[in-house]
Amino acid sequence: MRKETVRVEILRDEGTGIVGCGSCGLKEQIPVKPAQAEVDVYCMFTDKIYGRSKASPAPEVKGN
């Protein structure tokens, strides 16, 4: 049996992308620009999800 894990759909008329997980049922709606493709929406989704689990401090900027 084949199970689709992640599905990305772009609704160009609405300017949104929908990412859904077939395993856990998680769904996110993400704003999309005209030049963005499914892979871009998927990357924004994973950045958002994995960014929630790791809150890294901002890097320190040192002057010369």
Side-chain angles (χ1 to χ4, degrees):
M1 179 167 87
R2 183 177 161 204
K3 187 172 187 179
E4 188 174 287
T5 305
V6 178
R7 179 180 173 93
V8 178
E9 182 179 2
I10 295 181
L11 306 172
R12 297 264 178 222
D13 295 345
E14 298 175 24
T16 59
I18 299 171
V19 182
C21 178
S23 295
C24 71
L26 177 68
K27 276 193 174 180
E28 279 288 326
Q29 187 170 338
I30 297 173
V32 179
K33 295 179 183 174
Q36 291 176 315
E38 286 82 357
V39 66
D40 300 311
V41 176
Y42 174 79
C43 289
M44 289 186 289
F45 171 75
T46 57
D47 288 347
K48 186 175 181 179
I49 296 303
Y50 290 119
R52 287 181 187 163
S53 63
K54 295 183 204 175
S56 59
E60 187 178 322
V61 177
K62 295 182 181 182
N64 291 339

Short mmCIF file of all heavy atoms in Angstrom, two decimals:
data_model
loop_
_atom_site.label_atom_id
_atom_site.label_comp_id
_atom_site.label_asym_id
_atom_site.label_seq_id
_atom_site.Cartn_x
_atom_site.Cartn_y
_atom_site.Cartn_z
N MET A 1 0.84 -1.18 0.00
CA MET A 1 0.00 0.00 0.00
C MET A 1 0.88 1.24 0.00
O MET A 1 1.81 1.36 0.77
CB MET A 1 -0.88 -0.01 1.25
CG MET A 1 -1.78 1.20 1.33
SD MET A 1 -3.08 1.04 2.55
CE MET A 1 -2.26 1.62 3.99
N ARG A 2 0.59 2.16 -0.87
CA ARG A 2 1.34 3.41 -0.98
C ARG A 2 0.59 4.50 -0.23
O ARG A 2 -0.60 4.68 -0.39
CB ARG A 2 1.47 3.79 -2.44
CG ARG A 2 2.28 5.02 -2.63
CD ARG A 2 2.44 5.31 -4.10
NE ARG A 2 2.83 6.72 -4.19
CZ ARG A 2 2.65 7.47 -5.23
NH1 ARG A 2 2.10 6.97 -6.30
NH2 ARG A 2 3.02 8.71 -5.24
N LYS A 3 1.33 5.24 0.59
CA LYS A 3 0.72 6.33 1.34
C LYS A 3 1.43 7.63 1.01
O LYS A 3 2.64 7.72 1.08
CB LYS A 3 0.82 6.05 2.84
CG LYS A 3 0.05 7.04 3.68
CD LYS A 3 0.04 6.59 5.12
CE LYS A 3 -0.84 7.47 5.94
NZ LYS A 3 -0.90 7.05 7.33
N GLU A 4 0.66 8.62 0.60
CA GLU A 4 1.21 9.93 0.28
C GLU A 4 1.44 10.68 1.59
O GLU A 4 0.52 10.85 2.38
CB GLU A 4 0.23 10.70 -0.59
CG GLU A 4 0.79 11.97 -1.14
CD GLU A 4 -0.18 12.60 -2.10
OE1 GLU A 4 -0.33 12.10 -3.23
OE2 GLU A 4 -0.79 13.59 -1.71
N THR A 5 2.67 11.09 1.84
CA THR A 5 2.99 11.72 3.11
C THR A 5 2.72 13.22 3.09
O THR A 5 1.97 13.72 3.91
CB THR A 5 4.46 11.46 3.48
OG1 THR A 5 4.67 10.06 3.48
CG2 THR A 5 4.77 12.00 4.85
N VAL A 6 3.34 13.95 2.18
CA VAL A 6 3.17 15.40 2.13
C VAL A 6 2.64 15.80 0.76
O VAL A 6 3.16 15.39 -0.27
CB VAL A 6 4.49 16.14 2.42
CG1 VAL A 6 4.31 17.64 2.32
CG2 VAL A 6 5.03 15.76 3.78
N ARG A 7 1.61 16.65 0.79
CA ARG A 7 1.00 17.13 -0.45
C ARG A 7 1.04 18.65 -0.44
O ARG A 7 0.70 19.27 0.56
CB ARG A 7 -0.43 16.64 -0.55
CG ARG A 7 -1.15 17.11 -1.79
CD ARG A 7 -2.58 16.59 -1.80
NE ARG A 7 -3.32 17.15 -2.89
CZ ARG A 7 -3.45 16.60 -4.08
NH1 ARG A 7 -2.88 15.45 -4.33
NH2 ARG A 7 -4.14 17.20 -5.03
N VAL A 8 1.45 19.24 -1.55
CA VAL A 8 1.49 20.69 -1.69
C VAL A 8 0.59 21.08 -2.85
O VAL A 8 0.71 20.54 -3.94
CB VAL A 8 2.92 21.20 -1.95
CG1 VAL A 8 2.92 22.70 -2.14
CG2 VAL A 8 3.87 20.80 -0.84
N GLU A 9 -0.31 22.01 -2.59
CA GLU A 9 -1.22 22.51 -3.63
C GLU A 9 -1.12 24.03 -3.64
O GLU A 9 -1.16 24.65 -2.58
CB GLU A 9 -2.65 22.07 -3.32
CG GLU A 9 -3.66 22.50 -4.34
CD GLU A 9 -5.06 22.04 -4.00
OE1 GLU A 9 -5.26 21.43 -2.95
OE2 GLU A 9 -5.96 22.33 -4.80
N ILE A 10 -0.99 24.62 -4.81
CA ILE A 10 -0.94 26.07 -4.94
C ILE A 10 -2.24 26.56 -5.56
O ILE A 10 -2.65 26.08 -6.62
CB ILE A 10 0.26 26.53 -5.77
CG1 ILE A 10 1.55 26.16 -5.05
CG2 ILE A 10 0.20 28.03 -6.01
CD1 ILE A 10 2.82 26.57 -5.78
N LEU A 11 -2.88 27.49 -4.88
CA LEU A 11 -4.10 28.13 -5.38
C LEU A 11 -3.70 29.52 -5.88
O LEU A 11 -3.70 30.49 -5.13
CB LEU A 11 -5.15 28.21 -4.28
CG LEU A 11 -5.48 26.88 -3.58
CD1 LEU A 11 -6.37 27.11 -2.38
CD2 LEU A 11 -6.11 25.92 -4.56
N ARG A 12 -3.31 29.59 -7.12
CA ARG A 12 -2.77 30.84 -7.70
C ARG A 12 -3.77 31.99 -7.61
O ARG A 12 -3.39 33.12 -7.32
CB ARG A 12 -2.37 30.62 -9.15
CG ARG A 12 -1.27 29.61 -9.32
CD ARG A 12 0.07 30.27 -9.43
NE ARG A 12 1.10 29.24 -9.53
CZ ARG A 12 2.24 29.28 -8.89
NH1 ARG A 12 2.54 30.30 -8.14
NH2 ARG A 12 3.11 28.32 -9.02
N ASP A 13 -5.04 31.71 -7.86
CA ASP A 13 -6.07 32.76 -7.82
C ASP A 13 -6.17 33.39 -6.43
O ASP A 13 -6.50 34.57 -6.31
CB ASP A 13 -7.44 32.20 -8.21
CG ASP A 13 -7.47 31.73 -9.66
OD1 ASP A 13 -6.56 32.09 -10.42
OD2 ASP A 13 -8.40 30.99 -10.02
N GLU A 14 -5.91 32.61 -5.40
CA GLU A 14 -6.01 33.09 -4.02
C GLU A 14 -4.67 33.53 -3.45
O GLU A 14 -4.60 34.10 -2.37
CB GLU A 14 -6.62 32.00 -3.14
CG GLU A 14 -8.02 31.63 -3.56
CD GLU A 14 -8.57 30.46 -2.75
OE1 GLU A 14 -8.11 30.24 -1.63
OE2 GLU A 14 -9.48 29.79 -3.27
N GLY A 15 -3.57 33.22 -4.15
CA GLY A 15 -2.25 33.58 -3.68
C GLY A 15 -1.82 32.81 -2.45
O GLY A 15 -1.10 33.32 -1.60
N THR A 16 -2.27 31.55 -2.36
CA THR A 16 -1.92 30.73 -1.21
C THR A 16 -1.48 29.34 -1.64
O THR A 16 -1.82 28.86 -2.71
CB THR A 16 -3.10 30.55 -0.23
OG1 THR A 16 -4.19 29.94 -0.91
CG2 THR A 16 -3.55 31.86 0.36
N GLY A 17 -0.72 28.72 -0.75
CA GLY A 17 -0.33 27.33 -0.93
C GLY A 17 -0.81 26.56 0.28
O GLY A 17 -0.82 27.09 1.39
N ILE A 18 -1.21 25.34 0.07
CA ILE A 18 -1.68 24.49 1.16
C ILE A 18 -0.78 23.27 1.21
O ILE A 18 -0.57 22.59 0.21
CB ILE A 18 -3.14 24.07 0.97
CG1 ILE A 18 -4.03 25.31 0.94
CG2 ILE A 18 -3.57 23.12 2.08
CD1 ILE A 18 -5.45 25.04 0.56
N VAL A 19 -0.22 23.03 2.39
CA VAL A 19 0.65 21.88 2.62
C VAL A 19 -0.07 20.99 3.63
O VAL A 19 -0.51 21.46 4.67
CB VAL A 19 2.03 22.29 3.17
CG1 VAL A 19 2.91 21.08 3.34
CG2 VAL A 19 2.68 23.31 2.27
N GLY A 20 -0.18 19.71 3.30
CA GLY A 20 -0.85 18.78 4.20
C GLY A 20 -0.05 17.50 4.37
O GLY A 20 0.55 17.01 3.42
N CYS A 21 -0.02 17.00 5.59
CA CYS A 21 0.67 15.74 5.89
C CYS A 21 -0.35 14.61 5.92
O CYS A 21 -1.32 14.66 6.68
CB CYS A 21 1.39 15.85 7.24
SG CYS A 21 2.22 14.32 7.70
N GLY A 22 -0.11 13.60 5.10
CA GLY A 22 -1.01 12.46 5.04
C GLY A 22 -0.87 11.53 6.23
O GLY A 22 -1.77 10.73 6.51
N SER A 23 0.23 11.63 6.96
CA SER A 23 0.44 10.76 8.12
C SER A 23 -0.22 11.30 9.38
O SER A 23 -0.93 10.60 10.08
CB SER A 23 1.93 10.57 8.38
OG SER A 23 2.52 9.88 7.31
N CYS A 24 0.06 12.59 9.69
CA CYS A 24 -0.44 13.15 10.96
C CYS A 24 -1.63 14.08 10.80
O CYS A 24 -2.26 14.46 11.77
CB CYS A 24 0.69 13.87 11.70
SG CYS A 24 1.21 15.41 10.94
N GLY A 25 -1.92 14.50 9.56
CA GLY A 25 -3.07 15.36 9.32
C GLY A 25 -2.80 16.85 9.47
O GLY A 25 -3.71 17.67 9.32
N LEU A 26 -1.58 17.24 9.75
CA LEU A 26 -1.23 18.65 9.89
C LEU A 26 -1.43 19.37 8.57
O LEU A 26 -1.03 18.86 7.52
CB LEU A 26 0.23 18.79 10.35
CG LEU A 26 0.77 20.21 10.47
CD1 LEU A 26 0.07 20.93 11.63
CD2 LEU A 26 2.26 20.18 10.71
N LYS A 27 -2.05 20.56 8.61
CA LYS A 27 -2.24 21.37 7.40
C LYS A 27 -1.83 22.80 7.71
O LYS A 27 -2.11 23.30 8.80
CB LYS A 27 -3.70 21.37 6.96
CG LYS A 27 -4.08 20.21 6.13
CD LYS A 27 -5.42 20.44 5.47
CE LYS A 27 -5.70 19.29 4.53
NZ LYS A 27 -6.98 19.45 3.86
N GLU A 28 -1.19 23.45 6.75
CA GLU A 28 -0.79 24.85 6.86
C GLU A 28 -1.16 25.55 5.57
O GLU A 28 -1.01 24.99 4.49
CB GLU A 28 0.72 24.99 7.05
CG GLU A 28 1.24 24.78 8.42
CD GLU A 28 0.93 25.87 9.42
OE1 GLU A 28 0.88 27.07 9.07
OE2 GLU A 28 0.75 25.52 10.58
N GLN A 29 -1.60 26.78 5.69
CA GLN A 29 -1.86 27.62 4.53
C GLN A 29 -0.77 28.69 4.53
O GLN A 29 -0.55 29.36 5.54
CB GLN A 29 -3.24 28.25 4.63
CG GLN A 29 -3.64 28.98 3.40
CD GLN A 29 -5.10 29.39 3.44
OE1 GLN A 29 -5.91 28.81 4.16
NE2 GLN A 29 -5.44 30.39 2.67
N ILE A 30 -0.09 28.87 3.41
CA ILE A 30 1.06 29.75 3.31
C ILE A 30 0.86 30.71 2.15
O ILE A 30 0.47 30.28 1.05
CB ILE A 30 2.35 28.91 3.10
CG1 ILE A 30 2.56 28.02 4.32
CG2 ILE A 30 3.55 29.80 2.85
CD1 ILE A 30 3.68 27.03 4.18
N PRO A 31 1.12 32.02 2.37
CA PRO A 31 1.01 32.97 1.25
C PRO A 31 2.06 32.67 0.18
O PRO A 31 3.20 32.33 0.51
CB PRO A 31 1.27 34.33 1.90
CG PRO A 31 1.61 34.10 3.31
CD PRO A 31 1.49 32.64 3.61
N VAL A 32 1.66 32.78 -1.08
CA VAL A 32 2.54 32.42 -2.19
C VAL A 32 2.61 33.58 -3.19
O VAL A 32 1.60 34.19 -3.51
CB VAL A 32 2.00 31.17 -2.92
CG1 VAL A 32 2.87 30.79 -4.08
CG2 VAL A 32 1.87 30.01 -1.97
N LYS A 33 3.83 33.83 -3.68
CA LYS A 33 4.03 34.83 -4.73
C LYS A 33 3.93 34.12 -6.08
O LYS A 33 4.14 32.91 -6.16
CB LYS A 33 5.40 35.48 -4.57
CG LYS A 33 5.49 36.28 -3.28
CD LYS A 33 6.84 36.89 -3.11
CE LYS A 33 6.89 37.62 -1.78
NZ LYS A 33 8.21 38.13 -1.47
N PRO A 34 3.61 34.86 -7.13
CA PRO A 34 3.40 34.22 -8.45
C PRO A 34 4.55 33.35 -8.96
O PRO A 34 4.31 32.34 -9.61
CB PRO A 34 3.16 35.41 -9.38
CG PRO A 34 2.63 36.48 -8.50
CD PRO A 34 3.33 36.30 -7.18
N ALA A 35 5.78 33.71 -8.67
CA ALA A 35 6.92 32.96 -9.21
C ALA A 35 7.28 31.73 -8.38
O ALA A 35 8.13 30.94 -8.78
CB ALA A 35 8.15 33.88 -9.30
N GLN A 36 6.63 31.54 -7.25
CA GLN A 36 6.98 30.41 -6.38
C GLN A 36 6.30 29.12 -6.84
O GLN A 36 5.17 29.13 -7.33
CB GLN A 36 6.61 30.71 -4.93
CG GLN A 36 7.51 31.80 -4.34
CD GLN A 36 7.10 32.19 -2.94
OE1 GLN A 36 5.93 32.37 -2.65
NE2 GLN A 36 8.09 32.32 -2.07
N ALA A 37 7.03 28.02 -6.66
CA ALA A 37 6.54 26.70 -7.05
C ALA A 37 6.27 25.86 -5.80
O ALA A 37 6.51 26.30 -4.68
CB ALA A 37 7.58 26.01 -7.93
N GLU A 38 5.80 24.64 -6.03
CA GLU A 38 5.48 23.74 -4.93
C GLU A 38 6.66 23.51 -4.00
O GLU A 38 6.51 23.45 -2.79
CB GLU A 38 4.96 22.40 -5.46
CG GLU A 38 3.55 22.43 -6.01
CD GLU A 38 3.47 22.94 -7.45
OE1 GLU A 38 4.49 23.33 -8.05
OE2 GLU A 38 2.34 22.97 -7.98
N VAL A 39 7.86 23.38 -4.57
CA VAL A 39 9.04 23.14 -3.74
C VAL A 39 9.30 24.33 -2.81
O VAL A 39 9.73 24.14 -1.67
CB VAL A 39 10.28 22.81 -4.61
CG1 VAL A 39 10.69 24.00 -5.45
CG2 VAL A 39 11.41 22.31 -3.75
N ASP A 40 9.02 25.54 -3.27
CA ASP A 40 9.20 26.72 -2.43
C ASP A 40 8.23 26.72 -1.26
O ASP A 40 8.59 27.04 -0.13
CB ASP A 40 9.01 28.00 -3.26
CG ASP A 40 9.99 28.10 -4.40
OD1 ASP A 40 11.20 27.91 -4.16
OD2 ASP A 40 9.56 28.37 -5.54
N VAL A 41 6.99 26.34 -1.53
CA VAL A 41 5.98 26.27 -0.47
C VAL A 41 6.36 25.19 0.54
O VAL A 41 6.26 25.40 1.75
CB VAL A 41 4.58 26.00 -1.07
CG1 VAL A 41 3.54 25.83 0.02
CG2 VAL A 41 4.19 27.12 -2.02
N TYR A 42 6.83 24.06 0.05
CA TYR A 42 7.27 22.99 0.94
C TYR A 42 8.41 23.46 1.84
O TYR A 42 8.42 23.20 3.04
CB TYR A 42 7.70 21.76 0.13
CG TYR A 42 8.29 20.68 0.98
CD1 TYR A 42 7.48 19.83 1.72
CD2 TYR A 42 9.67 20.51 1.07
CE1 TYR A 42 8.02 18.85 2.52
CE2 TYR A 42 10.22 19.53 1.88
CZ TYR A 42 9.39 18.70 2.60
OH TYR A 42 9.93 17.73 3.41
N CYS A 43 9.37 24.17 1.27
CA CYS A 43 10.51 24.67 2.06
C CYS A 43 10.06 25.68 3.11
O CYS A 43 10.55 25.67 4.24
CB CYS A 43 11.57 25.27 1.15
SG CYS A 43 12.44 24.03 0.18
N MET A 44 9.14 26.57 2.76
CA MET A 44 8.62 27.53 3.74
C MET A 44 7.90 26.80 4.87
O MET A 44 8.01 27.17 6.04
CB MET A 44 7.68 28.53 3.07
CG MET A 44 8.41 29.51 2.18
SD MET A 44 7.35 30.81 1.51
CE MET A 44 6.35 29.92 0.33
N PHE A 45 7.18 25.75 4.52
CA PHE A 45 6.47 24.93 5.51
C PHE A 45 7.46 24.26 6.47
O PHE A 45 7.30 24.35 7.68
CB PHE A 45 5.64 23.87 4.78
CG PHE A 45 5.03 22.83 5.67
CD1 PHE A 45 3.93 23.13 6.45
CD2 PHE A 45 5.54 21.55 5.70
CE1 PHE A 45 3.36 22.16 7.27
CE2 PHE A 45 4.98 20.58 6.51
CZ PHE A 45 3.88 20.89 7.29
N THR A 46 8.49 23.63 5.93
CA THR A 46 9.45 22.94 6.80
C THR A 46 10.24 23.95 7.65
O THR A 46 10.51 23.68 8.81
CB THR A 46 10.42 22.05 6.02
OG1 THR A 46 11.11 22.82 5.04
CG2 THR A 46 9.69 20.89 5.36
N ASP A 47 10.57 25.11 7.09
CA ASP A 47 11.24 26.15 7.88
C ASP A 47 10.36 26.58 9.05
O ASP A 47 10.85 26.75 10.17
CB ASP A 47 11.56 27.37 7.02
CG ASP A 47 12.69 27.13 6.04
OD1 ASP A 47 13.41 26.11 6.18
OD2 ASP A 47 12.85 27.96 5.12
N LYS A 48 9.09 26.74 8.79
CA LYS A 48 8.16 27.17 9.84
C LYS A 48 8.01 26.09 10.92
O LYS A 48 8.05 26.38 12.11
CB LYS A 48 6.80 27.48 9.20
CG LYS A 48 5.80 28.06 10.14
CD LYS A 48 4.54 28.45 9.39
CE LYS A 48 3.53 29.07 10.32
NZ LYS A 48 2.32 29.49 9.63
N ILE A 49 7.86 24.84 10.51
CA ILE A 49 7.67 23.75 11.46
C ILE A 49 8.93 23.49 12.27
O ILE A 49 8.89 23.42 13.49
CB ILE A 49 7.23 22.45 10.73
CG1 ILE A 49 5.88 22.66 10.06
CG2 ILE A 49 7.20 21.27 11.68
CD1 ILE A 49 4.76 23.10 10.98
N TYR A 50 10.07 23.36 11.61
CA TYR A 50 11.30 23.07 12.34
C TYR A 50 11.80 24.28 13.12
O TYR A 50 12.50 24.13 14.10
CB TYR A 50 12.38 22.54 11.39
CG TYR A 50 12.06 21.15 10.90
CD1 TYR A 50 11.89 20.89 9.55
CD2 TYR A 50 11.90 20.10 11.79
CE1 TYR A 50 11.58 19.62 9.09
CE2 TYR A 50 11.59 18.83 11.33
CZ TYR A 50 11.43 18.59 9.99
OH TYR A 50 11.12 17.34 9.54
N GLY A 51 11.42 25.47 12.69
CA GLY A 51 11.80 26.68 13.41
C GLY A 51 11.09 26.79 14.74
O GLY A 51 11.55 27.43 15.66
N ARG A 52 9.93 26.14 14.87
CA ARG A 52 9.18 26.14 16.13
C ARG A 52 9.89 25.35 17.21
O ARG A 52 9.83 25.67 18.37
CB ARG A 52 7.79 25.53 15.93
CG ARG A 52 6.85 26.38 15.17
CD ARG A 52 5.51 25.69 15.04
NE ARG A 52 4.63 26.44 14.16
CZ ARG A 52 3.56 25.95 13.61
NH1 ARG A 52 3.20 24.71 13.82
NH2 ARG A 52 2.81 26.70 12.83
N SER A 53 10.58 24.27 16.80
CA SER A 53 11.19 23.39 17.79
C SER A 53 12.54 23.91 18.27
O SER A 53 13.00 23.53 19.33
CB SER A 53 11.35 21.98 17.22
OG SER A 53 12.21 22.00 16.11
N LYS A 54 13.18 24.77 17.50
CA LYS A 54 14.48 25.31 17.89
C LYS A 54 14.41 26.83 17.90
O LYS A 54 14.24 27.44 16.85
CB LYS A 54 15.56 24.91 16.88
CG LYS A 54 15.85 23.45 16.80
CD LYS A 54 16.98 23.27 15.80
CE LYS A 54 16.99 21.89 15.21
NZ LYS A 54 17.99 21.73 14.19
N ALA A 55 14.52 27.41 19.03
CA ALA A 55 14.59 28.85 19.13
C ALA A 55 16.04 29.22 19.38
O ALA A 55 16.55 29.10 20.48
CB ALA A 55 13.70 29.37 20.25
N SER A 56 16.74 29.60 18.32
CA SER A 56 18.16 29.91 18.47
C SER A 56 18.32 31.41 18.70
O SER A 56 17.61 32.22 18.10
CB SER A 56 18.95 29.47 17.24
OG SER A 56 18.45 30.12 16.10
N PRO A 57 19.26 31.79 19.56
CA PRO A 57 19.49 33.21 19.81
C PRO A 57 20.07 33.89 18.58
O PRO A 57 20.72 33.24 17.76
CB PRO A 57 20.47 33.22 20.97
CG PRO A 57 21.13 31.89 20.93
CD PRO A 57 20.13 30.94 20.33
N ALA A 58 19.82 35.18 18.45
CA ALA A 58 20.38 35.93 17.32
C ALA A 58 21.90 35.98 17.46
O ALA A 58 22.41 36.10 18.56
CB ALA A 58 19.80 37.34 17.31
N PRO A 59 22.61 35.88 16.35
CA PRO A 59 24.08 35.92 16.42
C PRO A 59 24.55 37.30 16.88
O PRO A 59 23.95 38.31 16.56
CB PRO A 59 24.52 35.62 14.99
CG PRO A 59 23.35 35.93 14.14
CD PRO A 59 22.12 35.72 14.99
N GLU A 60 25.63 37.30 17.60
CA GLU A 60 26.20 38.54 18.11
C GLU A 60 27.00 39.18 16.98
O GLU A 60 27.78 38.55 16.30
CB GLU A 60 27.13 38.24 19.28
CG GLU A 60 27.63 39.48 19.97
CD GLU A 60 28.50 39.15 21.17
OE1 GLU A 60 28.17 38.18 21.88
OE2 GLU A 60 29.48 39.85 21.37
N VAL A 61 26.79 40.47 16.79
CA VAL A 61 27.50 41.21 15.75
C VAL A 61 28.58 42.03 16.42
O VAL A 61 28.33 42.80 17.34
CB VAL A 61 26.53 42.14 14.97
CG1 VAL A 61 27.31 42.94 13.94
CG2 VAL A 61 25.45 41.32 14.33
N LYS A 62 29.81 41.85 15.96
CA LYS A 62 30.95 42.59 16.53
C LYS A 62 31.44 43.59 15.50
O LYS A 62 31.56 43.28 14.33
CB LYS A 62 32.08 41.62 16.90
CG LYS A 62 31.68 40.67 18.00
CD LYS A 62 32.81 39.78 18.37
CE LYS A 62 32.38 38.81 19.47
NZ LYS A 62 33.47 37.95 19.89
N GLY A 63 31.73 44.79 15.95
CA GLY A 63 32.25 45.84 15.07
C GLY A 63 33.76 45.72 14.93
O GLY A 63 34.42 45.00 15.65
N ASN A 64 34.31 46.43 13.95
CA ASN A 64 35.76 46.41 13.73
C ASN A 64 36.46 47.36 14.63
O ASN A 64 36.25 48.38 14.95
CB ASN A 64 36.09 46.70 12.27
CG ASN A 64 35.65 45.55 11.38
OD1 ASN A 64 35.48 44.43 11.85
ND2 ASN A 64 35.49 45.83 10.11
#
